[in-house]
Amino acid sequence: MRVPFLKAPSLFAQTGARVRNDLRNAACVRVLLVFAPPLAAAPATYTGEAPVNSQSDAERSGAIKNALAKVVIERSGDAGILARDEVAKAVAKAEQYVLQYRYRRDAVVDPASNAPSMQLILVAEFDRAAVDRMLDGLGLGSAQTSAPVSAAP
């Protein structure tokens, strides 16, 4: 019985060809990544925060309105802007501007008892373009710079 021998040069030639092919494929992938269109970026947002006592629907609804009110005040630069009827009506529809929300717990100290406690905060992300359109429609325009706004409590 005869045992076939492996031809070493052809084995190495195949391995070398495979390596060259892998390197060629890697180079093509790099070129594609450089020229590929960027992935869709997350929409620009305004962030508003408001304290809540619970995560109930009623608490959330009120907190989202308060968070948007803080954003509107920040954007307009006018602390009394909510006294305008049309602005108050727009803020009352805050739910239509929300992209997402989450809750955060902050450690606070009760000023009366000096005891530490936890405060639940709703953090809402509002659609920046929609809020800007709302402000433009109210004649407020984008009064301040276009930098992101974070209205904290």
Side-chain angles (χ1 to χ4, degrees), residues 28-43:
C28 288
V29 168
R30 276 184 256 147
V31 168
L32 288 174
L33 288 175
V34 168
F35 293 107
L39 296 174

Side-chain angles (χ1 to χ4, degrees), residues 22-129:
D22 288 345
L23 289 173
R24 197 174 313 126
N25 289 341
C28 288
V29 168
R30 276 184 256 147
V31 168
L32 288 174
L33 288 175
V34 168
F35 293 107
L39 296 174
T45 63
Y46 291 127
T47 302
E49 300 179 357
V52 292
N53 294 318
S54 71
Q55 294 182 17
S56 71
D57 291 345
E59 284 275 332
R60 182 186 68 243
S61 179
I64 287 174
K65 291 173 188 170
N66 289 338
L68 181 59
K70 290 177 182 179
V71 169
V72 169
I73 290 168
E74 178 93 17
R75 296 299 301 152
S76 70
D78 181 1
I81 194 73
L82 299 176
R84 289 179 48 186
D85 189 46
E86 67 274 16
V87 175
K89 286 179 183 176
V91 169
K93 299 175 186 174
E95 296 277 346
Q96 72 186 40
Y97 301 105
V98 176
L99 293 174
Q100 64 182 1
Y101 65 90
R102 65 185 180 282
Y103 293 95
R104 182 183 76 222
R105 291 196 182 274
D106 287 352
V108 295
V109 176
D110 182 2
S113 66
N114 208 23
S117 65
M118 298 302 287
Q119 172 67 60
L120 187 61
I121 305 290
L122 177 131
V123 180
E125 299 288 331
F126 298 100
D127 182 332
R128 182 180 185 146

